[in-house]
Amino acid sequence: MPMNQRRHPIARAYAAVVILLRPVIPLAWIAAVVWATIALPDLASAPTAPLEDLAAKNGAASQAQARATKRFGFPLSTETAVVQRNPRGLSRDALRRQLLGARAVFAHDDPALSDIRAALPISNAARGIPAREHGTTGVTYLFMPPSLSLETSTAEAHRYANRALGGPRGSVVGVTGAGPARLAQFDEIEHSLPIIEAASIVLIFVVVAIAFRSLGAPLVALVTAAITFLLAIRILPWAGEQANVTVPKEVQPIIVVLLLGLVTDYTIFFLSGMRRRLRLGEPRVAAARATVVEVAPIVFTAGLIVAAGTAALVAGKLEFFRAFGPGLALTTVISMVVAITLVPALVGLFGGRLFGKRVREDGERAAREAHVQQGRVAEEPARPGAESTEDSAPFFRRGPLARLALRLTRPVTAMRRAPELAHEHGTAPWRLFVARIAASPPVALVIAIVAIAALAFAASQVRDTKLGLTFIQSLPAKNEVRRAADAAQQGFAPGILAPTEVDLEQPGIAARRAQLATLQDLIARQRGVSAVLGPREQIQGAPPVTLARDGGGARYAVVLDEEPLGAHAIDRFRDLRDAMPGLTRQAGLGPGVRLSFGGQTALADDTVTRVLDDLKRVAVVAIAVNVILLVVFMRALVAPLYLVASSVLGLLASLGITTFLFQEVVGNEDLTYYVPFAAAVLLVALGSDYNVFVAGRIWEEGRRHRLREAIAVAMPAAARAVTAAGLALAASFALLAIVPLRSFREFAFVMAAGVLVDTFVVRSMLVPALTSLFGEVAWWPGRRMKPARTTDLIERVGLRAGVGPAEAERATRAALCTLAERITRKETHALARQLPPPLADHIREAARRPERFGADEFVHRMGEREGVPDATARAHARAVLTTLEDATTDRLAYVRAQLSEDYEPLFHGAADGAEPATDPTPTAPDPPRTEARATGRSTLRD
């Protein structure tokens, strides 16, 4: 059903403009793409962001590294190392080259290596070096200025490996470390991006073609996606330059799949609305205009919610997220703007040719049927579920059996109305029948309990989630950086590439060698420590590495027995950090020692801690933004709260499933630290995106139908569109698994699983069930429907009864009070919700246990309340009941189902504005009232 266009003047005006300009809009977007391609930079040419953007800046580890550089000349922590390894043993020449290369760097003998500040070699052939093997492996740590880019520093490391160490002749395995690992990730992403783009094109075509069973519809999706993509890859780097922000290359595939997924979703929403209207026989241009009126506000609001939700990442402190959030937000805005202009223009131009022969035939048949119906006088619709003639038995007139009989009319009426509603909305009757059963409160309660229990059980796994930085371990096993790291760990310990630096500062501490040696032994005995290098290894006359030249500092390189950036290493580091104050006192160094901790593990700890802090901050902002925008869109407060809560529950379930799969099944020790964070923001935003479409349909139908009928009518059509859109979006994110990086495969899984959970559990089952259970409260503090004004209602009654306002109001109140004695309390309250407040309060106060009595007694009781003869009361009853029939969404179908057949003449009064009817004989209604009944709309409310 089209939305009430009188309620959306802005959408109606926008639709008129877009459809009017439909031949121009595609040409304008093509021109925009050409201009952007010529004038703006390409996303692929954007510079790489420094490694610090992925980690915590100005944290304790960064500050410790700055102090170490100032006191010792360079930190022990480095992002780059060269690994040499020969399982049969390194040759003397290889060991000699390792030492001579480091000496040349310190002495600045080779101008070609001038960008390297220091080189620190270590070999498992040296005595006192704890290692798994002996004489097989050497690692040279390279220290470079932080101003060097990742490309330059990695190139310098390769030059050192070939020039100083002899390359393969010197048993060089490769260059490794966090810096080269990130550069290797860039290479993997760049190699995979064209495959992702090609696979996305195929995916969009297949999903949309299957959803609409045509070849025209997927072409619309592809054209829209192509224009959006070509614009986004130019606008994003340009916007980054203007804001002095570098979009991290790690997020470029995410931006691509988000863009294509959103465009496909929004295109499916428009195409679904257009197809439905064409099947109902609406002309092409009129159907396109009505589709824009209905769908454009939904897509606009959904786009704003996703954009605002992702932009909430700027509330974090990590530079990675502060660049990631605006990039995703701008991508969403571009997708939304193109979708709400280009897609309506294309569907307006091509119409039924986009959907195949069957849709056109259905539309032609519906148009012919509608034309035939216009020439007929509509007959009075049958009263669904009407009672049989009154039983004279007293126990069947009132009491438990009477109440039971009346209560049974509600489900019977609901089921009998299902085929009529299905035909009216172009839905298969069995779909609406199933949806109506699911919307009934008992069934909805079961669905809600099962769905919440299942989601909560999956979400319980989140407590076991561990976070780590997977720069090296994320790479494929054949990658040089990964092979070099594995070689180093085989010869030494897992933490050899990134030792934790423990710095001690105290005047004269360098002279206290005995206490420092004792502390070194104490550190080596701590759980998780594999080896410790410190002042004991400082060679007399060699460049100072572990002792400061001014004597005020000493430091240790602590090699952990875990991969240095993983969750287990972070736990080991935290234990060591907490134990160090006691160890220094135990070693006799006194309480005045200043301790600081540097290195990649300390930096990973700072980063994970910052991520968790950011998550709390960003979560509050993102949830608040989603709730506020949903409140504005839905004009309600309760519904947005449970809608966002259901999205959060679905998110937690997805994270729990991901944790279980990757940590328990696959055996990884952690998840990449930014994966749960980015997934959380995206899934909540996308969940609200689908909320707008699903809840928006329910809200719109709720203005024309009873609540649970509105759910039953809205869900089949919404479910088809949401299912197709959800599958397309989930498959788009799944394509990220093409990138051979562990972090991308984690992200691909959590996003695909999250979208599927949201599509098939949250949106299709939980949200309709919760809406049914909350009932009218979901619209609080607003109202689901706006009833007629009291004066208008009384005026219509007076016109029908031929009386003045005072008599009409007295008759209306008498009829409502008598009707409340005849029907169930639940039906009384349902009727009251569609009446203006004074009359609604009156009928609620009159509600009581129902009593089954016939039409004559109804008229008699009403006459007693009015103080008029039965003949006059009968005319007044017809006027009131007919007016109520016109004023209610279901035309009193459920009320009439609780009345016996002898009430039939009371529903044949004069139409609006007609002369009063005094003849009790039923007469055919005149055209105005017939039109109101045929359209299902209330002439009173319009």
Side-chain angles (χ1 to χ4, degrees):
M1 287 285 291
M3 66 165 57
N4 186 345
Q5 296 190 8
R6 297 187 182 185
R7 299 178 61 90
H8 301 271
I10 297 177
R12 193 153 50 95
Y14 174 79
V17 172
V18 169
I19 300 304
L20 179 65
L21 299 178
R22 62 188 183 278
V24 179
I25 290 174
L27 298 177
W29 280 119
I30 293 173
V33 169
V34 173
W35 173 84
T37 303
I38 296 173
L40 301 181
D42 187 4
L43 186 61
S45 63
T48 58
L51 182 64
E52 288 77 9
D53 283 356
L54 288 181
K57 287 184 177 180
N58 302 320
S62 298
Q63 295 174 8
Q65 182 170 321
R67 284 198 302 271
T69 301
K70 183 177 180 180
R71 183 173 289 278
F72 296 95
F74 61 91
L76 289 179
S77 173
T78 177
E79 300 170 1
T80 310
V82 181
V83 179
Q84 300 167 271
R85 176 172 171 78
N86 187 334
R88 295 187 298 273
L90 290 175
S91 64
R92 290 180 179 272
D93 180 65
L95 295 173
R96 181 178 62 83
R97 283 177 176 272
Q98 187 186 30
L99 294 175
L100 292 178
R103 182 177 298 174
V105 170
F106 275 106
H108 304 288
D109 292 339
D110 190 345
L113 304 177
S114 59
D115 284 336
I116 302 176
R117 285 183 176 178
L120 181 62
I122 182 174
S123 169
N124 62 5
R127 295 180 180 179
I129 301 295
R132 295 177 175 178
E133 301 173 350
H134 179 74
T136 61
T137 311
V139 176
T140 302
Y141 304 100
L142 301 181
F143 301 88
M144 302 183 196
S147 59
L148 292 183
S149 66
L150 290 176
E151 293 88 348
T152 302
S153 60
T154 303
E156 288 296 321
H158 280 99
R159 183 179 294 110
Y160 180 87
N162 293 320
R163 189 180 183 93
L165 301 182
R169 291 183 290 109
S171 300
V172 173
V173 179
V175 175
T176 190
R182 191 177 180 202
L183 197 61
Q185 289 184 350
F186 294 161
D187 293 337
E188 299 289 352
I189 291 171
E190 289 181 349
H191 292 155
S192 302
L193 200 53
I195 303 175
I196 292 176
E197 293 168 359
S200 298
I201 294 174
V202 175
L203 172 69
I204 291 173
F205 186 88
V206 171
V207 170
V208 179
I210 293 175
F212 293 93
R213 299 176 184 178
S214 72
L215 298 180
L219 291 179
V220 172
L222 287 178
V223 170
T224 308
I227 289 178
T228 308
F229 173 75
L230 294 174
L231 284 174
I233 63 173
R234 299 288 176 174
I235 295 176
L236 283 174
W238 173 82
E241 290 179 0
Q242 303 305 309
N244 195 26
V245 173
T246 301
V247 179
K249 283 193 173 182
E250 285 87 348
V251 306
Q252 291 181 15
I254 299 175
I255 287 175
V256 170
V257 299
L258 176 66
L259 180 152
L260 297 177
L262 286 178
V263 169
T264 305
D265 280 8
Y266 297 157
T267 303
I268 288 174
F269 293 162
F270 277 108
L271 292 174
S272 297
M274 184 67 175
R275 181 177 64 176
R276 187 172 68 253
R277 283 171 173 77
L278 291 175
R279 278 181 166 171
L280 292 175
E282 296 185 28
R284 170 174 57 88
V285 175
R289 188 181 297 114
T291 299
V292 176
V293 172
E294 178 186 8
V295 180
I298 293 175
V299 172
F300 180 76
T301 305
L304 285 184
I305 289 177
V306 177
T310 52
L313 284 167
V314 299
K317 294 184 178 179
L318 284 176
E319 291 298 324
F320 176 75
F321 295 131
R322 296 177 69 87
F324 183 39
L328 294 181
L330 184 56
T331 299
T332 303
V333 171
I334 295 171
S335 304
M336 179 262 292
V337 171
V338 175
I340 64 174
T341 53
L342 181 58
V343 178
L346 293 176
V347 298
L349 285 172
F350 297 102
R353 285 172 287 181
L354 299 175
F355 302 103
K357 184 177 179 181
R358 181 175 178 181
V359 172
R360 294 196 297 271
E361 292 176 348
D362 291 345
E364 292 171 357
R365 182 168 55 254
R368 288 194 300 269
E369 292 177 356
H371 180 72
V372 172
Q373 288 295 330
Q374 289 178 358
R376 297 179 179 175
V377 177
E379 298 179 355
E380 180 73 19
R383 299 187 325 247
E387 281 190 337
S388 59
T389 305
E390 296 294 336
D391 195 312
S392 59
F395 66 87
F396 209 68
R397 177 182 177 92
R398 60 173 62 89
L401 288 179
R403 292 195 295 271
L404 177 61
L406 291 175
R407 287 170 183 169
L408 288 176
T409 62
R410 287 175 64 90
V412 171
T413 304
M415 294 302 102
R416 288 183 176 179
R417 281 173 56 84
E420 173 189 343
L421 294 173
H423 177 73
E424 180 182 350
H425 292 270
T427 302
W430 71 268
R431 291 180 181 274
L432 199 142
F433 185 81
V434 171
R436 184 61 183 86
I437 293 176
S440 61
V443 179
L445 179 62
V446 174
I447 292 174
I449 291 175
V450 172
I452 291 174
L455 294 173
F457 175 76
S460 65
Q461 301 296 318
V462 172
R463 64 177 181 269
D464 298 325
T465 303
K466 299 289 185 181
L467 302 181
L469 279 65
T470 58
F471 293 139
I472 297 176
Q473 294 303 313
S474 179
L475 294 168
K478 295 182 179 180
N479 187 277
E480 176 191 321
V481 177
R482 176 72 178 273
R483 288 190 294 105
D486 292 342
Q489 293 180 3
Q490 289 174 7
F492 291 95
I496 191 64
L497 287 178
T500 296
E501 180 176 346
V502 180
D503 296 339
L504 290 77
E505 296 179 86
Q506 187 183 54
I509 193 173
R512 306 175 68 179
R513 301 291 288 269
Q515 290 86 344
L516 293 174
T518 301
L519 180 58
Q520 185 168 340
D521 293 335
L522 292 174
I523 294 174
R525 290 198 290 267
Q526 296 302 301
R527 186 169 68 95
V529 174
S530 178
V532 182
L533 303 178
R536 180 183 294 160
E537 285 72 36
Q538 179 69 54
I539 301 174
Q540 195 72 22
V545 175
T546 59
L547 296 173
R549 292 181 184 275
D550 61 4
R555 60 182 176 179
Y556 301 90
V558 181
V559 180
L560 300 176
D561 61 2
E562 301 287 351
E563 200 279 320
L565 298 179
H568 295 166
I570 293 174
D571 292 339
R572 298 285 187 265
F573 164 76
R574 290 170 177 171
D575 293 340
L576 176 64
R577 181 186 58 195
D578 295 341
M580 279 305 298
L583 297 180
T584 56
R585 291 192 296 269
Q586 187 176 346
L589 292 173
V593 178
R594 178 178 182 178
L595 292 167
S596 57
F597 303 87
Q600 296 298 316
T601 306
L603 185 64
D605 175 57
D606 282 351
T607 302
V608 170
T609 302
R610 185 73 58 83
V611 164
L612 295 177
D613 291 340
D614 281 354
L615 182 59
K616 300 172 186 176
R617 186 180 304 106
V618 172
V620 171
V621 174
I623 290 175
V625 167
N626 279 272
V627 170
I628 290 172
L629 289 176
L630 284 174
V631 167
V632 172
F633 174 74
M634 304 180 75
R635 300 179 184 180
L637 180 60
V638 173
L641 292 177
Y642 71 71
L643 289 175
V644 173
S646 65
S647 295
V648 172
L649 183 58
L651 158 69
L652 294 176
S654 305
L655 292 177
I657 295 171
T658 304
T659 297
F660 177 78
L661 176 66
F662 284 94
Q663 292 186 191
E664 300 297 330
V665 178
V666 177
N668 296 338
E669 66 178 86
D670 51 33
L671 299 179
T672 305
Y673 74 102
Y674 63 78
V675 166
F677 189 94
V681 174
L682 275 173
L683 286 176
V684 170
L686 292 172
S688 295
D689 183 15
Y690 288 165
N691 274 334
V692 169
F693 187 75
V694 173
R697 289 298 307 273
I698 295 175
W699 250 235
E700 191 60 37
E701 296 297 341
R703 298 189 181 104
R704 292 186 293 271
H705 301 285
R706 289 194 169 211
L707 173 58
R708 290 166 185 93
E709 283 187 348
I711 296 173
V713 166
M715 284 312 300
R720 287 195 297 270
V722 168
T723 298
L727 289 174
L729 191 60
S732 296
F733 279 113
L735 292 178
L736 289 174
I738 293 174
V739 181
L741 300 176
R742 192 182 109 187
S743 56
F744 273 82
R745 287 171 178 170
E746 292 171 353
F747 189 79
F749 180 83
V750 68
M751 288 303 301
V755 171
L756 292 177
V757 167
D758 194 85
T759 300
F760 292 102
V761 179
V762 177
R763 274 344 115 206
S764 298
M765 297 174 61
L766 183 57
V767 166
L770 290 177
T771 303
S772 175
L773 293 175
F774 275 94
E776 302 295 329
V777 178
W779 274 258
W780 187 87
R783 297 187 65 172
R784 180 166 60 89
M785 58 184 65
K786 185 178 180 180
R789 292 183 301 176
T790 305
T791 54
D792 291 342
L793 195 83
I794 297 301
E795 181 182 354
R796 302 293 175 92
V797 172
L799 286 173
R800 284 191 166 102
V803 297
E807 292 87 345
E809 181 175 359
R810 188 162 54 249
T812 302
R813 290 181 177 272
L816 291 175
C817 186
T818 307
L819 192 61
E821 296 174 343
R822 180 60 177 79
I823 61 178
T824 62
R825 289 182 179 178
K826 182 176 290 188
E827 197 56 46
T828 300
H829 287 286
L831 176 60
R833 283 192 287 268
Q834 302 183 63
L835 297 177
L839 298 180
D841 294 340
H842 180 72
I843 194 173
R844 287 194 187 99
E845 292 173 359
R848 63 181 65 181
R849 287 188 174 183
E851 181 181 353
R852 303 178 72 202
F853 48 81
D856 290 341
E857 185 168 348
F858 180 93
V859 170
H860 180 69
R861 292 187 183 191
M862 183 175 166
E864 286 184 341
R865 287 189 168 92
E866 282 191 86
V868 298
D870 286 359
T872 304
R874 185 176 298 275
H876 291 177
R878 287 200 304 274
V880 173
L881 293 178
T882 306
T883 301
L884 291 178
E885 187 179 23
D886 286 337
T888 54
T889 58
D890 59 1
R891 303 192 57 76
L892 292 184
Y894 287 84
V895 171
R896 297 179 71 175
Q898 296 190 6
L899 304 178
S900 54
E901 293 179 357
D902 58 337
Y903 280 81
E904 180 69 12
L906 299 182
F907 288 91
H908 288 278
D912 290 345
E915 292 296 326
T918 57
D919 185 1
T921 305
T923 58
D926 59 347
R929 187 176 170 199
T930 300
E931 180 181 355
R933 286 182 177 174
T935 59
R937 293 170 55 189
S938 169
T939 59
L940 184 62
R941 293 186 329 208
D942 290 343

